[in-house]
Amino acid sequence: MKLIHIQKTYHNRNNTVHALKGIDLDLSTNGIIVILGPSGCGKTTLLNIMAGRLSYEGRIEDVPSFDYLTQEFNLFENMSVKDNLLLVSDNREKLDFYLDVFDMSDQMEKKVKKLSNGQKKRVQFIRALLHQPGLLLCDEPTAALDRDNAVKLMDELKKLSDEVQIILVTHDILLSRQYADRIITMEQGVIVGDEIIHEKGRCHHGTEIEHKTVKETALLSYRRLVSTVTGTLMQLMLMMLAVLTMFTVFNMYANVRAQSDYADTFKQAKNLIVSVPKNREANHTETYSGYAVKYTDLTYSDLFDYSQIVQAVQDHPEIIGVESFNSYQYQQDYELEDLRFEDDSQAYQTFDFHGRQFPDFPLESPFIIRSDFEPYEDWDEYVSKEYRNYYSSMVSVFDLVNGYEDLPLLAGTMPEDDGIVLSRNAADMLMEIDGYTSYEEMIGKTMSLALRGYRNSGYYLLEGQWPISIIDVRIAGVSSVENDFMTMVFFNSGFGNNPVYDYFVKDPTHMKLQYVRFLLKPGSDYEGVAEELDAYFDKINVDISVFSGQGLREEVRPYQSPAGLVVYAGILLVVIVCVLVLYLFAGRKRMIKEKQIMEIYGYSIMQESMIRNVAMTILAFILSLIVSIPFSKLVNDFAAAHYYQPFMTFNLPVLMLFACGMGIAVILLEAGMTHRRQHDHH
Ligand code: ADP
Ligand code: MG
């Protein structure tokens, strides 16, 4: 190696150190070349420059293949001596030979951290020699050793120095005198003496370190992983927990949000579209279910045709439920015609008060009554004692249409044929009335609905609260949806076919309806559909608009969003990630050291990190896969016990995605943490 006017200046924040002030050296012979000088004179700086670890001014020519034995031990402390050496060369013969030379054969299987300092130094030497360098750079090789070991080591170096050029930096004058073939003396960045003691032959170039293959790199990764089983398991555990928590947080966030949005839509009746008589000359205003309705005298042409509503439902797949109250049945078409001619402007009142012979028609909504209640016997008493406020037990009856079966259920199933699904508040009311203790208990039981209405036989309506009939319906399911404005019951038999209509309407094609409400699928364009329906029902004297009631109920039960749980899971995630980062950070020093060794011996750091962490990621993924199944079940059981829909849905691609993300994060974290800033760049 030739050094031509090497200069090095360290620029510190507040001062500049001229560490090397022009070094010219021709180092072309074998033997031990000692660079001697007091501490701080620039020896380590010079060695680092020779090893290509520092920037400098000047020129270096003819660099042989070398190995650099830094002052500190740079070995894989957790690996055995053998594995440390195998990572340089898999030439077992040479390995055994050097182990023998350095008297280390017995220690081969021992972990490096269990060796004495002298033994460690020797392992470093064996490793350096295994790849047959032309030059060995040694920074204070005996500094960590006692006198005996130092002498032993120097003896061994001496033996080697016939074959290899050894540049040895020390401040130990005695030792240099004893072993050196050439002594170069330095003082404050300059060479002040150069003395040849023994003439030696010209040095050779040595064998270049080859880049390691992927297979060799993978082998090293494997050795690193198994060298610290507990460490590897610990990291694996943390990665698995992180992946699992990410998966849980994501899953819960998505599901809880969807559940909350859905529930809130119903709770606030955002998805309800109602018909309101057009503001003509209003007779009186009444607040019905929080909606100010201006009652006018309706005419026959103000009523909806059954077929029109069926058509509207067909045209709008967003419509999931239809409710109508005050329906009129006409047995014969000519009756309709009669009505129109006779009393066109007073159709509503004609039905009410003129004593005409019309069949029954339902008056607004039915209400839930005790299932053991005997009609017509003690109704007065029942109403006065138990149900003075009939609003509280009134239910809105919706027909589920367009095949809608997505109501989230707390218990039971969606109804088939004659079954019904209760909204949560309807179920709660029934619980009170019939003494059930759980939603599950109601499933399969019957419940009683009192139909209120006008009857052609001249029933006298006492404040509109007389039941004209009581029908029993079977409870198929209880849904978690409810709202603040009405208690809902869902029939699943298609519009106009539910038992309420069965009672009142024999032939739905001869049905006219006064008030209609549409329930839309949560998330659809409520305003848009309302406008379209309004246009569609243009001829009828109503406005179709999105419901905007205020609610009549005093006590509004707020929707209990389980969002808090997502926050807890999120906090847990942060904690786990912090522990993982801290854990990686704790191993940082060791990682940096090991990275340097790998760099020296031709391993690609990135490749090794990738192989190792991809393996870890796959393991973590498999582990989290195994754990996530029972874990998801646990979380969902918890959700079910608290009457929520499942929080967790098993989603393999998402789990894989998080595992990949985790792997990439760990690789980047490792790279970032072990990234050493170059000592001094110009
Ligand atoms: P030696 O190895 O002979 O003890 P060094 O090469 O370590 O000497 O240091 C030579 C001079 O350069 C000293 O004055 C030291 O303080 C300074 N020095 C070494 N490394 C740095 C650095 N990274 N930044 C600034 N000054 C440094
Ligand atoms: Mg030094």
Side-chain angles (χ1 to χ4, degrees), residues 39-40 42-45 71 139-140 169 171:
S39 149
K43 303 184 299 294
T44 299
T45 303
Q71 200 165 330
D139 195 356
E140 313 262 6
V169 150
H171 60 266

